[in-house]
Amino acid sequence: MNILTTGGAGFIGSHTCVELMKAGHHVIVVDNYVNSQPEALRRVEELGGMPVKSYTADVCDAEAMERIFSENEIDAVIHFAGLKAVGESVHQPLRYYRNNLDSTLTLCETMERHGVKRIVFSSSATVYGVPDEVPLREDMFCKGCTNPYGWTKYMIEKILGGIVEADPEWSVVLLRYFNPIGAHESGRIGENPNGIPNNLMPYITKVAAGQLDHLSVFGNDYATHDGTGVRDYIHVVDLAKGHVDACAYAAQHTGCEIINLGTGIGYSVLDIVNAFEKANGVKVPYVITDRRPGDVDACYADPAKAEALLGWKAERNLEDMCRDAWRWQTMNPNGYKG
Ligand code: NAD
Ligand code: WQD
């Protein structure tokens, strides 16, 4: 298939492009590089062994999107493009709503005009809000999100669901990712956050590399086995492969499906620190600090639906995730900047 990936130069998009190419698909990318670098796509081409057709454009730009759909026979779209920093979204709500919603509306209007009716969307476990119970299943009621970023995901799920209701020929797969970490095992592509990372694993790799002094562990009084927050960490390559399977599913089914992509296993912050030290033989100094506002005790998936519908299951373990995250860091101490 010819698959358009919006935001394909980003962390998850770049890994997915490689897996799509390995599965025999042709990849077209549109990205405005607001949170990524063109160098990522050069490396995707190297790993995928074929060229990637790329457009530098904002997905909110209707004329640019029209041109992309006119110049290519697109069979399906994976919509990664979006702003994703939870804390930033609290301070810049309008920017988040504008970018994430407008890009989705513009994309879907263009798809509709061109009769392209298959879309896989990057949703998030954040739409579950504060969970009453874990593991989280797709049919659980979402009581509400805790930040504007989460609401954009929630609203986009509703928008895409509404499109299917109006036109049952559409095929929509809403993938709710849990906590993607790790990097491609080649060490050539990985997560490249701007400035000081917000998320746990990129913070740990910078501490281990000596670029940051120590990790702050946000709270040790949660209702978990060691008091630190528990999450479902998933290797980004496993996540990427889930998109290949979702595209195959979308090609054969119509309707709207919500699917968790997680491992089903919850690890605490200290589990991650210990596993990282063991896998890589490096120290990660940390101090326990106050809780981070908005954090929940535990969040992990019931991944059964992904296996039943897509035949997909995460294959990489925590040691793989720690090893690959560290390889990416050591081979690219300044990310794509060399
Ligand atoms: P990322 O920031 O690395 O990638 C997003 C890409 O989209 C970037 O390359 C960015 O430049 C591009 N982009 C943003 N707005 C754009 C626009 N208007 N036009 C064109 N390009 C635009 O993030 P990621 O971690 O790869 O996440 C991909 C998607 O998955 C996002 O939608 C994110 O919200 C979602 N998601 C991420 C996580 C996570 O923890 N990484 C978890 C759940 C969901
Ligand atoms: C993981 C754990 C922290 C940093 C976020 C988004 C979510 C999704 C994935 C997009 C928590 C603890 C962290 C640090 C720490 N993204 N921590 N010290 O918050 O589970 O999920 O990314 O959709 O929407 O909210 O991920 O990596 O920030 O935190 O102790 O310096 O690590 O408290 O328990 P989170 P995270």
Side-chain angles (χ1 to χ4, degrees), residues 5 9 15 107 157 221 225 259 265 270 299-300 311:
T5 66
H15 289 80
L107 171 67
E157 286 197 358
D221 57 352
H225 61 273
I259 302 178
I265 304 169
L270 293 182
C299 173
Y300 53 92

PDB file of all heavy atoms in Angstrom, residues 5 9 15 107 157 221 225 259 265 270 299-300 311:
ATOM      1  N   THR A   5       2.177   9.009   6.168  1.00  0.00           N
ATOM      2  CA  THR A   5       2.317   9.198   7.608  1.00  0.00           C
ATOM      3  C   THR A   5       2.471  10.686   7.883  1.00  0.00           C
ATOM      4  O   THR A   5       3.394  11.322   7.392  1.00  0.00           O
ATOM      5  CB  THR A   5       3.521   8.426   8.199  1.00  0.00           C
ATOM      6  OG1 THR A   5       4.738   8.964   7.699  1.00  0.00           O
ATOM      7  CG2 THR A   5       3.462   6.948   7.869  1.00  0.00           C
ATOM      8  N   ALA A   9       8.370  11.967  10.761  1.00  0.00           N
ATOM      9  CA  ALA A   9       9.774  12.164  11.147  1.00  0.00           C
ATOM     10  C   ALA A   9       9.960  12.099  12.663  1.00  0.00           C
ATOM     11  O   ALA A   9      11.087  12.144  13.152  1.00  0.00           O
ATOM     12  CB  ALA A   9      10.285  13.511  10.633  1.00  0.00           C
ATOM     13  N   HIS A  15      10.100   5.223  13.488  1.00  0.00           N
ATOM     14  CA  HIS A  15      10.207   3.760  13.660  1.00  0.00           C
ATOM     15  C   HIS A  15       9.127   3.039  12.867  1.00  0.00           C
ATOM     16  O   HIS A  15       9.361   1.959  12.316  1.00  0.00           O
ATOM     17  CB  HIS A  15      10.113   3.403  15.152  1.00  0.00           C
ATOM     18  CG  HIS A  15      11.317   3.813  15.940  1.00  0.00           C
ATOM     19  ND1 HIS A  15      11.511   5.103  16.378  1.00  0.00           N
ATOM     20  CD2 HIS A  15      12.418   3.120  16.315  1.00  0.00           C
ATOM     21  CE1 HIS A  15      12.672   5.174  17.023  1.00  0.00           C
ATOM     22  NE2 HIS A  15      13.249   3.992  16.996  1.00  0.00           N
ATOM     23  N   LEU A 107      -6.861  17.186   7.542  1.00  0.00           N
ATOM     24  CA  LEU A 107      -6.487  15.889   6.969  1.00  0.00           C
ATOM     25  C   LEU A 107      -7.739  15.116   6.533  1.00  0.00           C
ATOM     26  O   LEU A 107      -7.816  14.619   5.400  1.00  0.00           O
ATOM     27  CB  LEU A 107      -5.701  15.083   8.024  1.00  0.00           C
ATOM     28  CG  LEU A 107      -5.414  13.629   7.681  1.00  0.00           C
ATOM     29  CD1 LEU A 107      -4.450  13.506   6.494  1.00  0.00           C
ATOM     30  CD2 LEU A 107      -4.818  12.895   8.892  1.00  0.00           C
ATOM     31  N   GLU A 157     -10.716  11.262  18.889  1.00  0.00           N
ATOM     32  CA  GLU A 157     -11.378   9.944  18.845  1.00  0.00           C
ATOM     33  C   GLU A 157     -12.861  10.117  18.499  1.00  0.00           C
ATOM     34  O   GLU A 157     -13.421   9.362  17.699  1.00  0.00           O
ATOM     35  CB  GLU A 157     -11.246   9.221  20.190  1.00  0.00           C
ATOM     36  CG  GLU A 157      -9.849   8.663  20.468  1.00  0.00           C
ATOM     37  CD  GLU A 157      -9.861   7.611  21.576  1.00  0.00           C
ATOM     38  OE1 GLU A 157     -10.943   7.336  22.144  1.00  0.00           O
ATOM     39  OE2 GLU A 157      -8.784   7.050  21.865  1.00  0.00           O
ATOM     40  N   ASP A 221       4.997   7.373  47.553  1.00  0.00           N
ATOM     41  CA  ASP A 221       3.886   7.002  48.434  1.00  0.00           C
ATOM     42  C   ASP A 221       2.635   6.634  47.630  1.00  0.00           C
ATOM     43  O   ASP A 221       1.501   6.810  48.091  1.00  0.00           O
ATOM     44  CB  ASP A 221       3.584   8.145  49.416  1.00  0.00           C
ATOM     45  CG  ASP A 221       3.260   9.470  48.710  1.00  0.00           C
ATOM     46  OD1 ASP A 221       3.425   9.535  47.459  1.00  0.00           O
ATOM     47  OD2 ASP A 221       2.845  10.417  49.387  1.00  0.00           O
ATOM     48  N   HIS A 225       3.731  -1.490  44.387  1.00  0.00           N
ATOM     49  CA  HIS A 225       4.564  -2.428  45.157  1.00  0.00           C
ATOM     50  C   HIS A 225       5.759  -1.772  45.844  1.00  0.00           C
ATOM     51  O   HIS A 225       6.204  -2.235  46.882  1.00  0.00           O
ATOM     52  CB  HIS A 225       5.009  -3.614  44.295  1.00  0.00           C
ATOM     53  CG  HIS A 225       5.840  -3.249  43.096  1.00  0.00           C
ATOM     54  ND1 HIS A 225       5.289  -2.902  41.885  1.00  0.00           N
ATOM     55  CD2 HIS A 225       7.179  -3.164  42.923  1.00  0.00           C
ATOM     56  CE1 HIS A 225       6.254  -2.629  41.019  1.00  0.00           C
ATOM     57  NE2 HIS A 225       7.409  -2.782  41.625  1.00  0.00           N
ATOM     58  N   ILE A 259      -8.097   0.369  20.021  1.00  0.00           N
ATOM     59  CA  ILE A 259      -7.215  -0.748  20.381  1.00  0.00           C
ATOM     60  C   ILE A 259      -6.052  -0.251  21.245  1.00  0.00           C
ATOM     61  O   ILE A 259      -5.312   0.650  20.845  1.00  0.00           O
ATOM     62  CB  ILE A 259      -6.679  -1.457  19.108  1.00  0.00           C
ATOM     63  CG1 ILE A 259      -7.848  -1.968  18.247  1.00  0.00           C
ATOM     64  CG2 ILE A 259      -5.741  -2.599  19.492  1.00  0.00           C
ATOM     65  CD1 ILE A 259      -7.445  -2.632  16.951  1.00  0.00           C
ATOM     66  N   ILE A 265       2.043  -5.315  31.197  1.00  0.00           N
ATOM     67  CA  ILE A 265       2.882  -5.432  32.408  1.00  0.00           C
ATOM     68  C   ILE A 265       3.158  -4.035  32.954  1.00  0.00           C
ATOM     69  O   ILE A 265       3.541  -3.134  32.198  1.00  0.00           O
ATOM     70  CB  ILE A 265       4.228  -6.111  32.090  1.00  0.00           C
ATOM     71  CG1 ILE A 265       3.993  -7.479  31.446  1.00  0.00           C
ATOM     72  CG2 ILE A 265       5.086  -6.234  33.354  1.00  0.00           C
ATOM     73  CD1 ILE A 265       5.253  -8.098  30.871  1.00  0.00           C
ATOM     74  N   LEU A 270      11.197   2.789  40.037  1.00  0.00           N
ATOM     75  CA  LEU A 270      12.426   2.156  40.546  1.00  0.00           C
ATOM     76  C   LEU A 270      12.732   0.851  39.816  1.00  0.00           C
ATOM     77  O   LEU A 270      13.910   0.501  39.643  1.00  0.00           O
ATOM     78  CB  LEU A 270      12.328   1.940  42.060  1.00  0.00           C
ATOM     79  CG  LEU A 270      12.296   3.244  42.880  1.00  0.00           C
ATOM     80  CD1 LEU A 270      12.249   2.941  44.383  1.00  0.00           C
ATOM     81  CD2 LEU A 270      13.503   4.134  42.573  1.00  0.00           C
ATOM     82  N   CYS A 299      -1.000   2.603  35.734  1.00  0.00           N
ATOM     83  CA  CYS A 299      -1.689   2.652  34.438  1.00  0.00           C
ATOM     84  C   CYS A 299      -1.066   1.583  33.547  1.00  0.00           C
ATOM     85  O   CYS A 299       0.111   1.684  33.207  1.00  0.00           O
ATOM     86  CB  CYS A 299      -1.494   4.050  33.843  1.00  0.00           C
ATOM     87  SG  CYS A 299      -2.115   4.235  32.161  1.00  0.00           S
ATOM     88  N   TYR A 300      -1.816   0.533  33.281  1.00  0.00           N
ATOM     89  CA  TYR A 300      -1.322  -0.458  32.316  1.00  0.00           C
ATOM     90  C   TYR A 300      -2.491  -1.092  31.574  1.00  0.00           C
ATOM     91  O   TYR A 300      -3.630  -1.038  32.007  1.00  0.00           O
ATOM     92  CB  TYR A 300      -0.394  -1.500  32.954  1.00  0.00           C
ATOM     93  CG  TYR A 300      -0.927  -2.224  34.154  1.00  0.00           C
ATOM     94  CD1 TYR A 300      -1.598  -3.437  34.015  1.00  0.00           C
ATOM     95  CD2 TYR A 300      -0.761  -1.717  35.442  1.00  0.00           C
ATOM     96  CE1 TYR A 300      -2.084  -4.120  35.125  1.00  0.00           C
ATOM     97  CE2 TYR A 300      -1.243  -2.394  36.548  1.00  0.00           C
ATOM     98  CZ  TYR A 300      -1.904  -3.589  36.380  1.00  0.00           C
ATOM     99  OH  TYR A 300      -2.405  -4.255  37.478  1.00  0.00           O
ATOM    100  N   GLY A 311      -3.737  -9.631  15.710  1.00  0.00           N
ATOM    101  CA  GLY A 311      -2.708 -10.674  15.814  1.00  0.00           C
ATOM    102  C   GLY A 311      -1.393 -10.097  16.319  1.00  0.00           C
ATOM    103  O   GLY A 311      -0.317 -10.653  16.087  1.00  0.00           O
TER     104      GLY A 311
END
